[in-house]
Structure formats: structure tokens, C-alpha cells
Amino acid sequence: MKLYVATHNEHKLREISQILPKFEIVADDPAGVVEDAPDFAGNALIKVRAIASRHRGEWCMADDSGLKVAALGGAPGVRSARYAGEPTNTPANNALLLKNLEGVADRRANFTCAVALVGPDGREHVVFGRVFGRIALAPSGAEGFGYDPLFVPDGFEKSFAELSAAEKNAISHRGRALAEARRILAGEGADGFSSMRKEASR
Ligand code: IMP
């Protein structure tokens, strides 16, 4: 089954293809949309709506995700991609994060992913995934993307960038959100409202 995905991020696309191998993933860049919602779900909806109008009668999906650091009041949050400014600069983002956590003992953080879907019937669904962990004192590993070299998931002594793709996908925010999305795509999932309520009650 075809699944249109609103992104130009090749790392996200690769992970989505790995996690949903049975789908024919077709990237459609929602170029020009302004992601100005206050939360991940809102931005995922902005992106998926931008492409859904081009693919009526088909499944469309968008992922909006980011890193929340407890000691920084949830930053970088929805600004994760642009933490050190525009355009996105991953080494600068990671360096700024380490600088802002200099001398900070509480390194707790989580990655959150909201996945928005628009079905062939035009109905919208939003599901979430989250993984808890901590920010390392220094980067390590060469896999993955973004903040992966700095994020050590709970229960591990390695960063996301030191895990294989399969290991990361099994526990990651994106892996968890897409497991929920897979149920909706298979016709087994909750409707969008009950998924939204689940998040709101956390
Ligand atoms: P988005 O494309 O607006 O959703 O921005 C997501 C940003 O959050 C990325 O540019 C990364 O900085 C960060 N991010 C999201 N998911 C991951 C991940 O799995 N690993 C590392 N960084 C991530």
C-alpha cells in the first residue's frame, strides 16, 4: 500500500521505511509550510494537511518530533531542528545543547514523536511515541542523525548513535508512534480523538 510522507528529511524517511517495510513510502516535501504550532501534534497536522490535498483518496502521513530536556524547561522541544538558528545545523544544535547543560547534573530528557495521518476518507488521526533517557556529557557514535550522539536511552549505556538502526527503531519515539500508526493503517486503530485524549491526559 502506498503511503505519502510529508518530509524531505532523508533520515526520517529511512527510519519510516525500516519500521513500515510493507508500505511503499513516497516522499512529498511540504515545502513552504510554516510549522508554527505550539506542539508536535499541531505541526504534524500542518505538514500532513499540506500534502493530503494533493493525494485525495490515499493515506498520507507526517512526523513531527523533537527533544525535550527537563533542566531546560522542555527545550529545545518544537524548536529542535532550529535550536541554534536557521537553517538547521546539527553540529551547532548539539554544541549549544551541551553548552546549555554545562555543570547541570540533571540530564533527563525525552524524545517525542507525533505522527499525523489523513486517511482515504479524509479523517485525521494523531498518535504519539516517546522514549526517555539522558543527555551524555559528550557525543558518541556515528549512526542515526540529529541529537542521536548525545541521547542515551534509559536501560542503555550507549547513545542512539551507537545503536544499530534495528535497536534504535525498537525503542525510539518514532518506532513507538509508527507502531500505533501501523494499527490505524491496518484498520485496527483508535480514531484521532481518542489518540489525542491519551496524549492530553499524560
Ligand atoms: P522536525 O523535522 O520539525 O520534526 O524536526 C525534528 C528535529 O528533532 C530534527 O531535526 C532533530 O534535531 C530532532 N530529532 C527528531 N527525531 C530525532 C531522532 O530520532 N534522533 C535525533 N534527533 C531527532
Side-chain angles (χ1 to χ4, degrees):
M1 187 163 87
K2 237 180 209 172
L3 178 58
Y4 291 91
V5 178
T7 188
H8 59 267
N9 181 329
E10 66 194 56
H11 302 283
K12 278 190 187 178
L13 273 176
R14 188 174 316 130
E15 290 190 0
I16 292 167
S17 302
Q18 287 162 348
I19 298 165
L20 299 176
K22 294 196 176 141
F23 293 85
E24 185 191 338
I25 306 295
V26 184
D28 186 358
D29 188 351
V33 294
V34 182
E35 297 177 42
D36 57 359
D39 52 30
F40 298 116
N43 284 328
L45 281 166
I46 287 173
K47 288 188 273 191
V48 78
R49 285 173 184 155
I51 68 159
S53 53
R54 301 200 271 264
H55 308 291
R56 292 191 198 284
E58 308 264 11
W59 278 103
C60 294
M61 186 176 94
D63 152 323
D64 198 73
S65 45
L67 182 69
K68 291 184 178 180
V69 179
L72 301 177
V78 288
R79 294 196 45 80
S80 290
R82 292 151 280 146
Y83 191 37
E86 307 254 18
T88 296
N89 181 332
T90 296
N93 286 343
N94 288 2
L96 181 61
L97 180 60
L98 282 181
K99 181 169 169 284
N100 289 343
L101 285 176
E102 252 168 34
V104 176
D106 176 4
R107 320 273 306 180
R108 287 172 301 140
N110 70 75
F111 269 124
T112 298
C113 175
V115 166
L117 292 156
V118 176
D121 57 3
R123 285 178 69 199
E124 295 178 344
H125 310 257
V126 183
V127 291
F128 299 89
R130 189 171 286 165
V131 56
F132 292 91
R134 64 181 193 279
I135 302 301
L137 295 172
S140 55
E143 302 297 320
F145 69 102
Y147 298 95
D148 279 351
L150 291 177
F151 184 81
V152 178
D154 284 350
F156 289 77
E157 293 305 323
K158 291 176 176 181
S159 77
F160 260 176
E162 293 177 290
L163 300 182
S164 68
E167 285 173 319
K168 178 186 171 187
N169 293 338
I171 57 166
S172 77
H173 50 313
R174 188 163 297 104
R176 288 174 174 161
L178 290 174
E180 287 285 313
R182 195 191 290 117
R183 295 182 56 229
I184 292 173
L185 290 161
E188 303 161 13
D191 62 62
F193 278 114
S194 49
S195 300
M196 295 287 264
R197 271 203 296 275
K198 212 162 68 186
E199 170 71 5
S201 66
R202 275 185 193 154

